[in-house]
Amino acid sequence: MRTRTTTAAALAVLALALTACGGQEEPPAGDDGGSRSAGTGAEEQDKARGAAGLPVEPSTTARYRFLEALDAIDRRISEPGTDEQAVSRGLDQCGSLKASPDDRDRLIRQTLERFALPAGLPDLNTPETGGKILDAVHEHLCPGF
């Protein structure tokens, strides 16, 4: 079992535990209890990401599925300990995907460069691998682009 699987399970348990520790207090009238309050750092970050043409921070599930998709391509693309970097690169690629969705060849070249495959993993520096990573980005991190 990979560290990522164990980490994802631990995060899910932690999220449930934190939710359970929240107390029995009712949310204020008009608050659905699950929405972010105005002016929070997360909300401001999501607005900034949207203004930059990037999707909002992905859910834990979307992150996990994206990282698993990278592992299915080749485990070396996102080795344990580099998950955040891989997600960040994927989110950046979403911006490129949104800017020029019809230029797949260019997007594949950008994907290969963004994931540092020419220098770090030259044997994976192929249009086929770039296309698979690009498809994983699109499917899991920015399906609306």
Side-chain angles (χ1 to χ4, degrees):
M1 181 181 301
R2 296 230 16 215
T3 303
R4 185 175 300 135
T5 304
T6 304
T7 303
L11 287 173
V13 169
L14 179 61
L16 289 172
L18 289 174
T19 303
C21 293
Q24 299 299 322
E25 202 171 303
E26 290 290 320
D31 186 355
D32 67 4
S35 64
R36 299 178 195 183
S37 60
T40 64
E43 184 178 84
E44 290 172 12
Q45 186 179 34
D46 284 349
K47 285 181 183 177
R49 295 181 70 73
L54 301 173
V56 296
E57 192 65 26
S59 69
T60 302
T61 302
R63 284 174 161 315
Y64 179 79
R65 288 187 177 150
F66 172 65
L67 294 168
E68 287 298 305
L70 293 181
D71 281 348
I73 298 165
D74 191 295
R75 288 192 178 281
R76 297 174 294 167
I77 296 170
S78 175
E79 299 205 5
T82 64
D83 293 346
E84 288 304 313
Q85 185 179 45
V87 171
S88 176
R89 288 174 177 173
L91 291 171
D92 288 345
Q93 190 60 30
C94 287
S96 297
L97 183 61
K98 186 173 185 179
S100 55
D102 298 325
D103 193 350
R104 185 162 173 88
D105 290 337
R106 180 172 164 241
L107 288 168
I108 287 171
R109 285 190 307 275
Q110 287 175 332
T111 301
L112 290 168
E113 290 171 13
R114 186 160 274 140
F115 281 80
L117 296 184
L121 298 168
D123 59 312
L124 295 180
N125 189 34
T126 66
E128 180 183 359
T129 302
K132 288 178 182 179
I133 296 171
L134 179 62
D135 292 343
V137 165
H138 191 206
E139 180 179 348
H140 300 291
L141 299 180
C142 48
F145 286 18

